[in-house]
Amino acid sequence: SFGHLMAWKSSDIAAAWVNMIMLGYLSIFASDYLGLDVGQVGLILAVSKITDGLVDFFIGWLVDNTHTRWGKARPYEICIVGMTLSTILLFAAQPEWSYTAKLIWVFSLYVLTFSVFGSLRGVGMSCYTIRHFSNNNILIRKVASYGGIITTAGSIVASMCFPVLVENFADGPMGWIVPVAIFMIPATLFGALRFFLCKEDPAVGGDSAQQKVSFKEIFAMFRKNPYVWLYAIIMLAYNVLNGLGVTSYYFTYIIGSIGMSGVLSAFGVLLLPVMLLFPWIMKKVGTMGKMIAGLSVISVIGYLIVFFSGSNLVGMLIGYLLASLAGLPLSYYGVLFLMNVCTYNEMKGLPRMEGSANILAAPTAAALWAAWSPAPSWPWPATFPPTRTRSSPSPPAPSWPSASTLPSSRPS
């Protein structure tokens, strides 16, 4: 039913809002509002990603060995509340604090949000999905398609409204905590609906569900199952593209108004009908892999259009729509890939390890983050103006000849 689908996707919408705020705005909050060095912020985020990668090994083992009356993965779903509350606390930091205190605060709350609460929820997500929908491949595919539309729509609405709130409230006496709390307080309330309303099917897994999983078996999976590495590489590319956090800088300094990024999100509505076509596209091309490969080519073209568009808003919007296509099936169909990974584990004489099957994605992303973190302090050309302080005015918005043809980013 639609109500059941909404209850299931409530947590994903809340998590999408956390990701939108953290990945899209944390860097500019830390540099422009708190006055932290961009290179140092990048470094502490890289360290947190390495922590995330190390913690995920333990969490995968923990999920695979969890057996409670609530199920195997469901108990960790309540961590969505920890993610939303930690996000509020992070953006409560004030520029008047000492420099060291601000660095420690940002690092600690970021680690708490993603490496602790986010990892506990994320590692168990595939296991929870499989067990809630009774390991029904067809049903999970439908939920991924239609539920993905709900999550994407919720993300688009948030992405449209949040930059407008930032532009209106972030320089006020309470700072960024006002726009963040406006989203995170309701996200805390409805994000917990999945935990309370969506149970696991105890019949899934049979006797194997009660098996103990050792670290030795997890490392054996890394040796015997090449598909866990393939999934990790795929998710590495996806997470890097979504975690660079440059959009807020782009609109602040290239476009001239962070509020205009809501226009970009508004155009994301055009992607929703495309998601309805994914099952049909998969039937036509044969496999999900072929569909993602074709969409990836289109996405590369989109990123090239964005790169060469510069301050041309129309060109960037077109490039953004094309570039977003490859990420959509990865976001919502990944659990189907992991179901096959777990089945392959059984074929190799291993436990299914639904919790550990996707833990390699975090360490591979951490390695790249560690390499990328010094990038903000490289001797780039003087593309961006110096870091603004809280009292500095926002850059003036340029005059756009075609802006009048675009829909307003401000909700009516």
Side-chain angles (χ1 to χ4, degrees):
S1 67
F2 180 75
H4 182 193
L5 185 62
M6 286 298 298
W8 176 255
K9 299 306 293 184
S10 62
S11 178
D12 289 340
I13 295 173
W17 288 7
V18 170
N19 288 329
M20 179 269 296
I21 293 173
M22 283 290 209
L23 301 182
Y25 296 90
L26 174 59
S27 183
I28 198 169
F29 163 77
S31 63
D32 285 28
Y33 182 75
L34 296 182
L36 299 177
D37 178 75
V38 178
Q40 292 179 351
V41 173
L43 181 61
I44 64 174
L45 296 187
V47 172
S48 72
K49 288 296 181 182
I50 295 173
T51 304
D52 191 12
L54 296 175
V55 168
D56 274 8
F57 281 98
F58 172 75
I59 292 178
W61 170 85
L62 181 65
V63 171
D64 283 327
N65 287 283
T66 297
H67 311 291
T68 72
R69 64 187 183 93
W70 294 291
K72 178 181 285 290
R74 184 186 175 194
Y76 303 107
E77 177 58 35
I78 197 62
C79 288
I80 186 62
V81 174
M83 292 180 68
T84 56
L85 296 180
S86 297
T87 301
I88 295 176
L89 289 175
L90 191 154
F91 283 87
Q94 295 299 313
E96 293 82 11
W97 297 359
S98 71
Y99 195 90
T100 302
K102 289 183 287 189
L103 276 177
I104 294 175
W105 185 266
V106 171
F107 173 75
S108 301
L109 270 299
Y110 190 88
V111 167
L112 192 61
T113 302
F114 288 112
S115 300
V116 179
F117 294 124
S119 291
L120 284 168
R121 177 185 176 274
V123 171
M125 183 51 55
S126 299
C127 179
Y128 192 11
T129 303
I130 293 169
R131 292 171 180 276
H132 177 66
F133 295 103
S134 304
N135 202 21
N136 186 323
N137 190 294
I138 297 175
L139 181 57
I140 291 175
R141 183 172 298 179
K142 289 182 178 179
V143 170
S145 297
Y146 301 120
I149 294 174
I150 293 174
T151 305
T152 302
S155 300
I156 290 173
V157 171
S159 299
M160 289 169 57
C161 299
F162 187 75
V164 178
L165 292 175
V166 168
E167 200 164 49
N168 284 280
F169 292 103
D171 287 332
M174 297 188 67
W176 280 66
I177 194 172
V178 174
V180 172
I182 287 174
F183 275 92
M184 289 297 98
I185 291 176
T188 302
L189 299 176
F190 70 72
L193 290 178
R194 177 190 285 177
F195 172 79
F196 290 108
L197 300 178
C198 299
K199 300 179 180 179
E200 290 187 14
D201 182 354
V204 175
D207 294 336
S208 64
Q210 302 299 319
Q211 290 180 352
K212 293 291 184 179
V213 176
S214 66
F215 284 107
K216 182 179 179 180
E217 288 170 318
I218 294 176
F219 285 105
M221 175 184 67
F222 297 157
R223 296 195 310 271
K224 297 180 179 181
N225 191 339
Y227 299 106
V228 296
W229 293 96
L230 177 61
Y231 181 76
I233 293 172
I234 293 172
M235 294 311 297
L236 168 65
Y238 173 78
N239 288 327
V240 167
L241 289 175
N242 284 273
L244 293 178
V246 298
T247 303
S248 55
Y249 285 103
Y250 188 95
F251 274 89
T252 299
Y253 294 118
I254 303 300
I255 301 300
S257 170
I258 195 173
M260 287 294 290
S261 62
V263 176
L264 184 70
S265 302
F267 269 71
V269 174
L270 299 177
L271 296 173
L272 297 181
V274 177
M275 297 180 65
L276 291 172
L277 298 176
F278 283 163
W280 177 82
I281 295 174
M282 277 193 286
K283 287 182 180 179
K284 288 295 181 181
V285 302
T287 64
M288 187 193 313
K290 291 181 179 179
M291 178 181 70
I292 293 176
L295 294 176
S296 296
V297 173
I298 299 175
S299 293
V300 170
I301 296 173
Y303 280 114
L304 289 173
I305 293 174
V306 171
F307 180 81
F308 288 106
S309 293
S311 59
N312 187 307
L313 186 59
V314 175
M316 185 193 179
L317 291 174
I318 295 173
Y320 160 78
L321 291 176
L322 296 177
S324 301
L325 289 176
L328 293 176
L330 291 176
S331 299
Y332 306 117
Y333 290 99
V335 65
L336 297 175
F337 189 96
L338 286 173
M339 288 174 66
N340 294 330
V341 170
C342 295
T343 300
Y344 191 83
N345 282 340
E346 290 182 315
M347 293 171 59
K348 290 295 182 179
L350 298 169
R352 284 186 61 84
M353 289 186 280
E354 294 160 345
S356 301
N358 66 340
I359 61 176
L360 279 176
T364 51
L368 196 63
W369 265 93
W372 172 255
S373 62
S377 58
W378 292 346
W380 297 104
T383 304
F384 300 111
T387 298
R388 292 188 296 118
T389 62
R390 181 178 179 180
S391 59
S392 302
S394 300
S399 176
W400 293 101
S402 58
S404 60
T405 63
L406 300 173
S408 170
S409 63
R410 197 180 293 269
S412 58

